[in-house]
Amino acid sequence: MEKIGIVGAGLMGQGIAQVFALAGHQVTVFDVNHDALASLVTRTEHNLLELALDSACAANITPAAELGEAVNDADIVFEAGPEDLSWKQTLFAQLESLAPANAILASNTSAIPITRIVERLESGHRAMGTHWWNPPFLVPLVEVIKTPDTDHAIARRMFDLLTRAGKTPAMVEKDIPGFIGNRLQHALWREAIALVANGVCDAETVDTVVKASFGRRLPVLGPLENADLVGTDLTLAIHQVLLPAIDCQPVPSPYLDALVKSGRLGMKTGHGFRRWTAEQQAELRSSIFQHLKAMDAADRCEEK
Ligand SMILES: NC(=O)c1ccc[n+]([C@@H]2O[C@H](COP(=O)([O-])OP(=O)(O)OC[C@H]3O[C@@H](n4cnc5c(N)ncnc54)[C@H](O)[C@@H]3O)[C@@H](O)[C@H]2O)c1
């Protein structure tokens, strides 16, 4: 069992703590926000109960009022603090001196290049990105992102730790914007917006088409498995016709820009691509949670 230190007890920090606590590791979490720290163990107990998992595991989590307390004997440190480059650079400099010399240092940034976050470290070989998805205890993937300085064996240690904790890690060999998951996701979103902007269909139809067609198969059929299934020759033939027609603008869509400028910010303003009542928002959030919970339960059943 490893000692896990986490910086940030917010949405992601709590979720990451929960994953390791459930796997039996000792987890210590630091946050500057007293309320986030004070509620950390109860939030974890609540989630575990909700998922019918052992809520006593929340006792493996210790809140820490000082950064040093959370990291000075950690084997692995996960940073899940504010999405701000200069804050993360300062934090990693502190981690380099406070954590043991052989501790692995990982950032959960969504979009900041890992290479920039750790560029001033003397021990960059032990630093990497670990991009968890929300909620960390229900979405299996964690992208492990190597910088040019990351030691391959140390990245592998992280990969194995995540596997043992029940996650599905993916090694990202190059530190590129969006890593793998968000590049794929946003390639789809770009075309989805273009279809609406070009009057091909409305936003609800885009979502229906995805959910009722290839979205159904995605949990068991990735895009390249699918290409092999239909044949690379057919894939080539389709791409010769389709790719020249698909949106490839290297900037955000003017349609999206106009939505933002007009205050149509999505659920938080009740109107984005679509209109959202408070009930519809609650219903969607609940469906996402119930769906992920059912898939997680099925995975756990299969493991047994
Ligand atoms: N929310 C997501 O879906 C998601 C997904 C993947 C990655 N991320 C990334 O994970 C990181 C955390 O995101 P989040 O959604 O948990 O944010 P959050 O706002 O819920 O949590 C951030 C926490 O950091 C704490 N914090 C602020 N300053 C601090 C300091 N000096 N020392 C210690 N803690 C400090 C805050 O009090 C807060 O509790 C960000 O880099 C974010 O981009 C978020």
Side-chain angles (χ1 to χ4, degrees):
M1 285 298 156
E2 313 262 15
K3 285 196 178 133
I4 310 289
I6 298 179
V7 182
L11 193 65
M12 300 305 289
Q14 181 282 323
I16 296 169
Q18 181 175 324
V19 167
F20 288 113
L22 185 64
H25 299 274
Q26 288 303 315
V27 185
T28 311
V29 185
F30 167 69
D31 198 300
V32 286
N33 181 325
H34 177 75
D35 292 344
L37 270 192
S39 63
L40 178 65
V41 173
T42 42
R43 277 185 285 150
T44 307
E45 277 167 349
H46 169 85
N47 287 343
L48 290 170
L49 283 172
E50 182 84 15
L51 299 169
L53 296 170
D54 182 7
S55 63
C57 290
N60 290 337
I61 300 177
T62 308
E66 299 292 331
L67 177 60
E69 217 183 303
V71 305
N72 63 17
D73 64 350
D75 298 305
I76 292 132
V77 180
F78 292 95
E79 169 276 311
E83 185 72 348
D84 176 285
L85 173 61
S86 99
W87 180 85
K88 288 191 195 286
Q89 285 177 329
T90 306
L91 192 263
F92 272 78
Q94 290 175 290
L95 293 179
E96 187 165 53
S97 61
L98 290 173
N102 60 352
I104 304 181
L105 310 178
S107 172
N108 187 48
T109 178
S110 308
I112 303 172
I114 311 297
T115 310
R116 293 294 316 280
I117 294 173
V118 303
E119 68 191 2
R120 296 183 199 151
L121 298 191
E122 277 169 23
S123 58
H125 66 285
R126 59 173 169 145
M128 65 195 68
T130 47
H131 181 233
W132 297 66
W133 291 63
N134 182 36
F137 50 88
L138 284 181
V139 180
L141 183 70
V142 183
E143 291 165 291
V144 177
I145 305 114
K146 293 202 254 178
T147 75
D149 291 331
T150 309
D151 182 304
H152 180 71
I154 298 177
R156 193 75 221 174
R157 242 183 80 201
M158 172 65 84
F159 192 98
D160 293 343
L161 168 79
L162 292 164
T163 306
R164 288 198 306 278
K167 305 310 293 176
T168 304
M171 195 68 88
V172 185
E173 298 291 342
K174 289 183 183 170
D175 180 22
I176 54 168
F179 315 131
I180 300 172
N182 271 325
R183 286 174 89 95
L184 291 167
Q185 182 169 230
H186 287 276
L188 177 65
W189 290 20
R190 174 166 65 183
E191 183 57 25
I193 296 170
L195 287 165
V196 175
N198 293 330
V200 177
C201 58
D202 61 15
E204 188 173 352
T205 304
V206 168
D207 291 334
T208 299
V209 167
V210 172
K211 288 187 277 185
S213 62
F214 63 87
R216 278 278 164 125
R217 301 187 302 227
L218 278 177
V220 292
L221 185 68
L224 300 183
E225 283 170 327
N226 199 343
D228 274 350
L229 185 74
V230 298
T232 52
D233 49 344
L234 177 59
T235 303
L236 178 64
I238 293 171
H239 279 199
Q240 277 161 345
V241 177
L242 218 50
L243 293 196
I246 286 178
D247 190 67
C248 63
Q249 294 303 313
V251 288
S253 159
Y255 186 94
L256 177 62
D257 202 36
L259 284 190
V260 173
K261 288 201 171 102
S262 68
R264 284 170 58 180
L265 303 184
M267 294 195 186
K268 61 187 151 193
T269 59
H271 196 187
F273 287 98
R274 297 164 63 173
R275 287 190 182 277
W276 296 96
T277 63
E279 293 72 36
Q280 287 168 325
Q281 295 184 29
E283 206 175 296
L284 182 64
R285 291 202 166 92
S286 166
S287 320
I288 298 167
F289 186 78
Q290 292 308 327
H291 171 73
L292 293 175
K293 183 176 154 181
M295 293 196 85
D296 184 64
D299 285 350
R300 285 177 197 282
C301 227
E302 219 168 83
E303 276 162 24
K304 281 183 192 164

